[in-house]
Amino acid sequence: MSLYTKIEWKEFRDNVIESDGYKCTICGRDSTEVTLQVHHKIYIEDKLPWEYGLENCETMCKGCHAAEHGIIKPKFGWKYVGEDDLEDLSGTCENCGASIRFVHVIYHAKWGFLDVGTLCCDNLTDTEIASNKRETQHLSI
Ligand SMILES: [Zn+2]
Ligand SMILES: [Zn+2]
Ligand SMILES: [Zn+2]
């Protein structure tokens, strides 16, 4: 489970896909043939993935979406977006697969959004934003 299982995201995702007529805006295949995903066309500082306007997003199938972002996940240049406390270890770090409670959302222009744990967040953003947040709350995970 990740941030993308949140109800806010599901509702937003459904709205984008509906507004694009339930098909990929690149190849035109529909939800009966392919898995549809939401691509963010621009990056807006500090906004969570579902806080964007519909006009800033478009529906793409999994394949077209992967091609749009490139296949290899960038190792640097990630920007910190925000965090969410799941209140238990139900989250998964999309970088290393660890179970996490505090989900940090980071963004890269070549990749899009990624949910990561505190350690991976520090590494990928090359900052201590995530671990500093943990310290102020006296929690280590
Ligand atoms: Zn497509
Ligand atoms: Zn995308
Ligand atoms: Zn990780």
Side-chain angles (χ1 to χ4, degrees):
M1 191 176 118
S2 75
L3 213 54
Y4 285 100
T5 63
K6 283 178 83 84
I7 191 76
E8 291 94 331
W9 171 249
K10 280 187 179 154
E11 280 174 7
F12 180 78
R13 179 186 167 277
D14 287 350
N15 286 340
V16 174
I17 292 175
E18 188 186 347
S19 74
D20 285 328
Y22 301 94
K23 47 183 198 290
C24 175
T25 54
I26 308 286
C27 69
R29 287 182 293 174
D30 67 28
S31 53
T32 62
E33 300 170 86
V34 289
T35 304
L36 295 175
Q37 300 180 333
V38 168
H39 170 66
H40 294 75
K41 290 189 269 189
I42 54 162
Y43 171 69
I44 307 170
E45 200 103 8
D46 297 329
K47 275 203 190 300
L48 288 165
W50 53 85
E51 293 172 342
Y52 284 66
L54 289 183
E55 69 282 4
N56 300 138
C57 294
E58 59 195 3
T59 305
M60 289 185 189
C61 72
K62 213 173 167 186
C64 290
H65 198 194
E68 177 75 20
H69 285 290
I71 312 298
I72 301 163
K73 186 164 55 193
K75 286 207 164 59
F76 337 63
W78 291 84
K79 287 191 173 115
Y80 191 84
V81 177
E83 72 165 344
D84 194 39
D85 180 359
L86 301 172
E87 289 168 3
D88 58 33
L89 287 170
S90 63
T92 305
C93 173
E94 292 178 337
N95 190 52
C96 72
S99 294
I100 51 173
R101 166 175 169 177
F102 295 96
V103 178
H104 300 275
V105 184
I106 56 176
Y107 176 86
H108 197 291
K110 292 214 170 80
W111 188 268
F113 293 98
L114 195 69
D115 296 348
V116 292
T118 304
L119 217 67
C120 287
C121 185
D122 279 2
N123 289 339
L124 290 167
T125 59
D126 200 22
T127 68
E128 290 174 355
I129 297 171
S131 50
N132 286 342
K133 278 177 189 281
R134 289 290 68 72
E135 253 161 54
T136 55
Q137 290 164 3
H138 303 286
L139 290 160
S140 59
I141 42 169

